[in-house]
Amino acid sequence: MVAVAVLVSGTGSNLQAIIDAVATGRLTCDLRLVLSNRPGAGGLERAQTAGLPTRLIEHQGFPTREAFDGAVVEALGEAGTELVVLAGFDRLVTRVLIDAFPGRIMNIHPALLPAFKGLHAQRQAAEYGVKVAGATVHFVDEHTDHGPIIIQGAVPVLPDDDEERLRARILTVEHDIYPRAIQLFAEGRLEVRGRRVIIHGPRPPAPGPLVAW
Ligand code: GRF
């Protein structure tokens, strides 16, 4: 089974979706570690409740991003990590992490990339006036919210949406697509060719017209 470490900074609802997917058998992987840079992260509590090993490495204690990533890489190595899953991890990652896990780091972003990269993606989408929003799971490269796209899910933007309502609707699709992406990786079915992610083998029907991989 693929050994997975999940990196969180906040609430951890995506982590919870992953934990739940493992519990119900929808996702087959070994959750080895939940690591956070923030002591108050709800994700740490969720992990402890689920009986998963946790580590806290506070980024403030390090002089550079690279030094922090070095400590993270060490912790991930100790846990035998094969796949790194960023789930609301609020630090920009450096080459130190990327080079330690080439092609083996995933991130989820609450927008249909390449639209609305960076912070406050849901607010950007609401303010821009798009009619369809969504979420993207992608491999991580050295540019923010940029690497090859594994899966995307879309949701409508409704006339009276504000940032919060849109955030909640996008989160439901995040919780659906992140376990799917990890499962595809765990089954060894993802191949990166340039910017494109090829998915090998038969695929089950998508849960709706607005999820594609
Ligand atoms: C999600 O919207 C995710 O796409 C973004 O950060 C948020 C994390 O939420 N990267 P949670 O901590 O998983 O609830």
Side-chain angles (χ1 to χ4, degrees), residues 52-108:
L52 299 175
T54 59
R55 285 284 292 267
L56 172 65
I57 303 180
E58 294 185 64
H59 60 271
Q60 290 95 336
F62 295 86
T64 61
R65 289 188 190 279
E66 285 78 9
F68 169 68
D69 277 4
V72 169
V73 166
E74 200 178 317
L76 295 174
E78 285 167 11
T81 305
E82 294 169 298
L83 174 67
V84 181
V85 169
L86 308 183
F89 187 62
D90 65 6
R91 304 299 296 167
L92 293 177
V93 302
T94 70
R95 288 238 63 108
V96 172
L97 183 64
I98 293 167
D99 290 347
F101 294 92
R104 294 188 287 133
I105 308 174
M106 284 184 189
N107 181 47
I108 190 160

Side-chain angles (χ1 to χ4, degrees), residues 14-192:
N14 277 286
L15 167 67
Q16 191 66 55
I18 293 163
I19 291 170
D20 294 347
V22 170
T24 59
R26 206 156 63 82
L27 171 57
T28 312
C29 71
D30 187 6
L31 291 176
R32 286 283 177 90
L33 180 66
V34 174
L35 187 152
S36 181
N37 60 318
R38 298 194 182 273
L44 282 177
E45 209 177 306
R46 292 179 192 268
Q48 282 151 8
T49 302
L52 299 175
T54 59
R55 285 284 292 267
L56 172 65
I57 303 180
E58 294 185 64
H59 60 271
Q60 290 95 336
F62 295 86
T64 61
R65 289 188 190 279
E66 285 78 9
F68 169 68
D69 277 4
V72 169
V73 166
E74 200 178 317
L76 295 174
E78 285 167 11
T81 305
E82 294 169 298
L83 174 67
V84 181
V85 169
L86 308 183
F89 187 62
D90 65 6
R91 304 299 296 167
L92 293 177
V93 302
T94 70
R95 288 238 63 108
V96 172
L97 183 64
I98 293 167
D99 290 347
F101 294 92
R104 294 188 287 133
I105 308 174
M106 284 184 189
N107 181 47
I108 190 160
H109 183 70
L112 292 173
L113 289 173
F116 310 128
K117 296 179 180 183
L119 294 175
H120 309 300
Q122 304 93 333
R123 187 191 309 167
Q124 292 184 57
E127 287 177 354
Y128 196 90
V130 292
K131 304 295 187 188
V132 178
T136 303
V137 180
H138 62 95
F139 284 115
V140 170
D141 67 9
E142 63 272 31
H143 307 292
T144 304
D145 303 325
H146 174 267
I149 290 170
I150 301 165
I151 181 169
Q152 293 185 302
V155 298
V157 182
L158 302 179
D160 54 354
D161 273 353
D162 56 12
E163 183 185 352
E164 269 321 304
R165 285 175 53 116
L166 187 55
R167 179 194 312 283
R169 194 171 310 115
I170 291 173
L171 260 184
T172 63
V173 87
E174 293 186 40
H175 299 163
D176 183 74
I177 65 176
Y178 219 171
R180 288 177 194 275
I182 298 166
Q183 181 64 19
L184 289 169
F185 183 95
E187 291 175 5
R189 295 174 56 192
L190 301 180
E191 181 197 341
V192 178

